[in-house]
Amino acid sequence: MKRFNRIALALFSLEMFSILPVLSEGGAPGDSETLENSFFVVDFNRKTGYFKVTRKKEPSFLLHAVSRVDTSLGIRATSDPDYQRSVEIQNLKDKVLGNGQRMIVVCRDEKKQIDLDLRISLYDTRDAFEIELICRNASDRDIFVPRVKPVNATGKDNGACVFPGATTILTNGKMYYDAGRVLPLVPGKDVSSWWNVCLYRGEKKPGLVIGYLGNPTAMGEIKVCPVSTESSEKETGRLDLTALSGYQKEFVLKPGATVSSDRLIFQFAPDSFQALELYSQAISELYEVRLNPTIHGWCSWFSFFGGITEEEVLKNAEFAARHLKPYGFEYIQIDDGFYTAFGNWEGNDRFPHGMKWLADKIREQGMKPGIWFAPYVIHSGTALSNEHPDWLIHNPDGKLKQVHPYLPEGSPEVEREIPKRHVLDITHPDAAKWLSDLFHAAAHEWGYEFIKVDFVDWSALAADRYHDPTVTRAAFYRKGAEIMRQAAGSKTHILDCGPGNVSVGLIDSMRIELDQPPCAWNQYYENPPSTGPAMAKRYYCHGNLWINDADHLVMMYLTTAQAQAAASLIGLSGGTVISGDRLTDLDQTQLEILRKILPSYGRAAKPIDLFERDRPEIFALTVSKPFGQWIVAGLFNSDAQNSVTKKISLERLGLDSSKTYLAFDFWKQKFFGEIKGTLETRLEPSSVCLLAIHEKKGEPQALSTDRHILQGALELENVEWNPQTRILKGVSLGPVGSEHRVYVYAPDSREPWDVGWYNFRDYPGYTVKRIESNIIRVHVRFEKEPRVSWQINYAEF
């Protein structure tokens, strides 16, 4: 009966979608092994070695696919005639994805070279399936395995991935300097992505993420190319699809040893946003991600670069303690420039008292010390380089590997460089201990509570071969993260500037965008890896995989409007809030802008137009409190030259288009007005309109404050309207010695000539005044306590 149902389904699909070509797996009917659940049907043909996956809600999905491995003995595939293929179905209990069944395809090599195990898993309650390829050296000698391809469904093999209606693809980048792209799917145009891709069909239409569930072994890439056909691409949706799990050029697979492609998931969802979020949640649960508190602090880099001094660090620490600590500002992080040499991390002559002394001084100010390391880069001439050259990475020819952040090894400039830059090889046990000792000393002897790890792509991940040649690049990097975490301890905050998909579960924060000195408007919006585009394209990672670090807020090169927009971006990211200005040079306006994003709310705003442009400009964050719920919407103009009009339906912001809403403009401190159906506003060049949007209730209600960009999320403990007494009561929170204003909507409009318009009503700790026809301002002063109760008595007012 099940077989009949599948045949009926196939015939129905072919009838309804006759535009799709018939791609046969070949072989006789009895050669096919089937695995099925309520979402998918998997067919593997033992005779041909090809497989397909059909999604029951689609005409078809993965057709005539094969798994491949590149080796020093040649390219092998599950379809090779030299394989004896058998299939086993096992019950599956996955702690994250749930119960299900797994098809295990065993390919035994008659040549006695490479055996392959292909594993395809279905889950009872999840609209997703998973593929993993495991390779085993069946020979009696070492074999180089630079890469495997767990999924290869391309026209060259008469295969395809079919996803009709897909118009747009979201890619990911290797690390911070490449945040990925939002690109149209163009027939014949290849698209490559690291780690994962998301296919977009349209708003409120089913979405798909194809991605690796973490990468402890391989550097995962996804390659997609829409296929040109006689029918329109929207109708057929045929794509060439390859998942590539990269190791390195001379990764050695020993006789009897195995290596995994890492787990690749195909996650479907009602829309593309949900697909991204389900994907990141699965990785989070798989790696049991537990994150230390978010970093709020100062970093020396953008103000001083490599010229930072001990004296400047302490000046900024003193200023931060006095002016910013009460708002949640905690850390003072010393960046690049303090050390004697790469590999000798003691302080140089600009840090004469040493790094432990400086950490103690920062702590005396009531702040927490942080430090920057490039732990894998080792200068020639250091004790480590001179005494232990065997602890460094060597090229296959036996020479010490020389690296540079921008130039290739062997170029004249690199050859002339003095000192030369080499790379620590932690597959050597003594080098691993050196790394462990460094992080233990920094955290437990010097006293640094926050460590930033940088310069990894062109050092640790640039090797073709390690001291232990059986370690892959990804495994090397994860091993390093494990060493750092164990040595520094579970409470030390680690910010990684590397491939977070490899180190997930071992780090706290991940740098997500490219720093672009001098950190003017280009840093925040003008390029695909700028702050705004990066926080949009990686919003789904935040809080699940790591805390997003959208890098520094630097206002010294920005206009006030640009500074407000940049601060809004960082605040809406939900992640780290790190100032890169010389704090002692901030003017009062800049200082207040910085305070208004402290502390971070912790949740990332949703990029509403993520799939519409490569630099998304509309973000929305739902704030839920016991006393109410509202949307904070950020509408940005990334153009530094021209004004624009932004228009968006309230429904896209997650609101009911049939209801009326009240909006307040945070930066203008002005009532925006009533809105229904559509939100429209005019934006000046490189600026933001940041609105708090509340459903209109027909009663007095708090709309906004001037304290924090989320306008009540952190600084309002409670607001309550009593219709019997006609009193609105509220409780505000703030640092002692500070003040803020609460803006309340009053449905009983008053005109300017009413006497009440001009009156100030003073009470202990606060003042009440009507400032617009429908807006009453409560000016709250935290004179002695960090908690002030206030009320508006409408009978008196």
Side-chain angles (χ1 to χ4, degrees), residues 106 148 159 166 198 243 297 311 325 352 381 386 550 581 603 693 701 742 745:
V106 178
V148 302
C198 181
E311 181 183 9
K325 184 184 175 185
N386 290 339
D581 283 303
R603 291 180 50 225
I693 304 175
Q701 56 192 113
V742 181
Y745 174 78

Side-chain angles (χ1 to χ4, degrees), residues 403-509:
V403 294
H404 190 279
Y406 313 114
L407 300 173
E409 185 175 17
S411 65
E413 296 86 353
V414 172
E415 289 295 322
R416 291 194 297 267
E417 188 176 39
I418 298 177
K420 300 184 183 302
R421 285 177 268 204
H422 303 301
V423 186
L424 186 72
D425 189 341
I426 58 169
T427 67
H428 191 296
D430 293 330
K433 184 179 185 302
W434 182 91
L435 179 65
S436 177
D437 290 346
L438 171 64
F439 274 71
H440 184 275
H444 303 293
E445 297 172 21
W446 299 355
Y448 287 89
E449 301 176 47
F450 162 36
I451 301 176
K452 180 178 177 181
V453 179
D454 205 354
F455 289 2
V456 299
D457 190 34
W458 51 271
S459 60
L461 298 175
D464 289 325
R465 185 184 180 101
Y466 297 107
H467 172 76
D468 180 351
T470 68
V471 176
T472 67
R473 280 179 181 166
F476 178 100
Y477 196 75
R478 187 161 183 86
K479 175 182 173 69
E482 289 171 348
I483 291 169
M484 296 173 201
R485 172 54 72 197
Q486 185 173 7
S490 61
K491 294 183 179 180
T492 301
H493 192 111
I494 296 179
L495 192 162
D496 191 8
C497 296
N501 290 59
V502 176
S503 54
V504 63
L506 298 168
I507 60 172
D508 297 298
S509 298

Side-chain angles (χ1 to χ4, degrees), residues 674-693:
E674 294 187 4
I675 52 177
K676 184 176 180 179
T678 302
L679 169 62
E680 183 173 348
T681 186
R682 186 74 175 168
L683 291 167
E684 296 301 313
S686 52
S687 69
V688 63
C689 176
L690 191 67
L691 301 175
I693 304 175

Side-chain angles (χ1 to χ4, degrees), residues 172-179 193-196 212-221 246-247 262 279 283 287 289 375-376 452-463 466 472-482 484 494-513 538 541 545-548:
N172 204 345
K174 188 177 183 181
M175 52 187 70
Y176 67 89
Y177 52 75
D178 177 7
S193 177
W194 289 92
W195 322 120
N196 61 278
Y212 286 87
L213 288 171
N215 290 84
T217 307
M219 305 291 284
E221 294 181 73
Y247 307 127
D262 290 331
Y279 167 68
I283 300 175
Y287 286 89
V289 173
Y376 296 109
K452 180 178 177 181
V453 179
D454 205 354
F455 289 2
V456 299
D457 190 34
W458 51 271
S459 60
L461 298 175
Y466 297 107
T472 67
R473 280 179 181 166
F476 178 100
Y477 196 75
R478 187 161 183 86
K479 175 182 173 69
E482 289 171 348
M484 296 173 201
I494 296 179
L495 192 162
D496 191 8
C497 296
N501 290 59
V502 176
S503 54
V504 63
L506 298 168
I507 60 172
D508 297 298
S509 298
M510 171 57 55
R511 172 89 166 280
I512 63 167
E513 53 68 72
R538 288 172 166 163
C541 301
L545 309 185
W546 49 70
I547 298 165
N548 276 350

